[in-house]
Amino acid sequence: MGVREILLYPDETLSRNDNAELDTADPTVDQVLQDLADTLDASPGVALAAPQIGHAVRAIIVDVTKDRKPERREGHGRVLMLNPIITQTSDAYPVREGCLSVPEYTGNVTRYRQAVVKGYVPGSGIRALHCEGFEALAFQHEVDHLNGALFLDQAKSARRNLFRRAQ
Amino acid sequence: MTNPRYVLNVLGQDRPGIVAAVSRAMTDAGCNIEDSSMTMLRGAFMMIMIITVPMGSENSLRTAMVGITATQGLQVHIDPYPEADEGLRRTVEGVSYSLTLHGADHPGIVAAVTEMLASDSINVVDLSTHVVEGSTPMYIMTMELVVPESVEKAGLRGRLDKLSEEIHCAISLTEIETATL
């Protein structure tokens, strides 16, 4: 099992914008992917990025089938992706996001209802996934992590854009 | 023992440098600014700050604020912060909604809407109102609400629609989508 600790803000690993591209032939990649899958299974969230578990590399996992709301579970199921990039977006909307690495707060951010995410999917090669709704939101959030960005970076007003969760 | 908290209210005519002057005076008095909110209402400067004051330094804070009042021409008011009594603390739980309202300005709009919300135990967590001057002054209100899970949403919308007709204002209610990732 590779359940790792989820790093919490302000851990500096979360703010790094130099996370390394992964060589898909690198044998250490399997361990990163296993850690992502095991840690996600042990967490209440639906997605994780490698920097959140201490790997400064560009890999993510998204699995919206884990969400407690049935209407959010549609999409591509469990996706592990290396070197993902968002290649297209459309239909921006406001949403209040929380993050496993910033557990005490939620914040207002702007996301896109549709997004195309391109990257290497183990077993399938380079894929471009057309995502919508909650799954599109999850991919945007995780790709932000690879670039060292948190929802806190989008807060224009602490009072109107950041909210402490009910204790 | 933790340092006591105070609430500082500052108001006056706006001009550059007020926040700098107030925050410098507080820093020099050994105080720490925690949560704060500053805005302009009808061109006037309004600021509320929650500050912690080192034990025994309350007088130096008050002396600093007297100085600010004199030199900056501001009204400053200091009160003890009402620390939550854990035994009485009410957790705000439920679904977040944004409510927007607009219509011709007349007295009683805020009271009518908030009384209706209070009757459903809905908590208003943010509120701002604005009068847009013109031949017919227009009133705009935005609120963020926390609606208890027990409140039936169709019924709430129905009551707001009815109120909308009674007070001649358009009211819209939108759930704030929240996602933890």
Side-chain angles (χ1 to χ4, degrees):
Chain A
M1 285 286 284
V3 177
R4 291 175 65 95
E5 179 186 359
I6 295 175
L7 302 180
L8 301 180
Y9 181 82
D11 191 296
E12 289 183 2
T13 309
L14 297 168
S15 301
R16 288 180 60 160
N17 60 6
D18 60 347
N19 294 301
E21 291 264 334
L22 280 166
D23 177 350
T24 57
D26 184 336
T28 64
V29 166
D30 287 345
Q31 186 59 53
V32 174
L33 298 180
Q34 191 64 50
D35 288 350
L36 278 171
D38 291 343
T39 308
L40 186 70
D41 286 341
S43 85
V46 300
L48 274 175
Q52 287 180 281
I53 56 171
H55 293 299
V57 295
R58 302 184 75 81
I60 62 172
I61 184 168
V62 173
D63 185 358
V64 291
T65 66
K66 283 189 72 198
D67 198 82
R68 64 185 176 88
K69 292 186 175 178
E71 66 270 22
R72 289 179 169 178
R73 295 177 191 156
E74 286 189 19
H76 296 84
R78 174 165 292 213
V79 179
L80 282 154
M81 189 178 270
L82 309 182
N83 309 323
I85 55 170
I86 307 282
T87 58
Q88 288 178 47
T89 53
S90 62
D91 196 5
Y93 72 113
V95 62
R96 188 165 296 172
E97 262 183 30
C99 176
L100 295 172
S101 292
V102 192
E104 292 184 8
Y105 288 87
T106 57
N108 291 340
V109 298
T110 299
R111 295 295 188 194
Y112 296 92
R113 292 189 197 279
Q114 288 90 34
V116 177
V117 191
K118 188 177 178 186
Y120 181 85
V121 177
S124 301
I126 298 287
R127 296 277 309 276
L129 303 181
H130 294 251
C131 303
E132 294 191 0
F134 186 55
E135 187 180 51
L137 172 71
F139 273 103
Q140 291 167 74
H141 181 102
E142 301 313 324
V143 171
D144 270 1
H145 272 301
L146 302 184
N147 298 323
L150 300 169
F151 70 79
L152 299 172
D153 296 303
Q154 284 201 44
K156 295 177 182 69
S157 155
R159 185 169 73 92
R160 292 191 176 276
N161 294 138
L162 283 182
F163 305 88
R164 188 182 283 276
R165 288 181 190 273
Q167 300 296 299
Chain B
M1 249 183 112
T2 54
N3 290 331
R5 289 192 174 90
Y6 286 81
V7 180
L8 195 75
N9 282 278
V10 183
L11 63 141
Q13 287 219 304
D14 187 53
R15 59 183 166 69
I18 295 177
V19 178
V22 174
S23 56
R24 169 51 60 195
M26 277 186 287
T27 301
D28 290 347
C31 304
N32 188 37
I33 300 168
E34 296 191 333
D35 293 11
S36 68
S37 180
M38 186 234 114
T39 193
M40 308 262 293
L41 296 179
R42 297 215 154 227
F45 174 94
M46 311 267 170
M47 182 164 69
I48 306 172
M49 288 178 162
I50 296 174
I51 55 175
T52 54
V53 181
M55 206 68 74
S57 296
E58 288 89 342
N59 282 342
S60 59
L61 169 67
R62 290 186 190 280
T63 303
M65 287 305 108
V66 168
I68 287 290
T69 303
T71 60
Q72 303 290 322
L74 300 167
Q75 296 178 52
V76 182
H77 194 76
I78 306 170
D79 289 298
Y81 172 77
E83 295 285 356
D85 180 331
E86 288 302 319
L88 297 174
R89 184 172 175 159
R90 290 188 181 183
T91 305
V92 180
E93 282 189 55
V95 183
S96 294
Y97 280 81
S98 81
L99 184 151
T100 61
L101 172 149
H102 62 87
D105 183 29
H106 62 86
I109 294 173
V110 178
V113 174
T114 53
E115 282 168 1
M116 200 223 83
L117 297 171
S119 69
D120 272 331
S121 298
I122 292 169
N123 202 1
V124 178
V125 294
D126 195 45
L127 164 71
S128 64
T129 62
H130 186 63
V131 177
V132 182
E133 300 291 1
S135 54
T136 304
M138 185 171 69
Y139 201 66
I140 298 176
M141 176 166 73
T142 59
M143 284 181 177
E144 182 167 332
L145 311 173
V146 177
V147 179
E149 298 276 2
S150 57
V151 174
E152 205 265 312
K153 302 307 179 301
L156 172 61
R157 287 182 192 280
R159 289 189 288 282
L160 284 170
D161 287 346
K162 186 164 173 288
L163 182 65
S164 168
E165 290 176 11
E166 289 169 6
I167 61 175
H168 307 292
C169 290
I171 301 175
S172 63
L173 185 71
T174 309
E175 182 174 345
I176 299 171
E177 192 175 333
T178 304
T180 297
L181 293 157

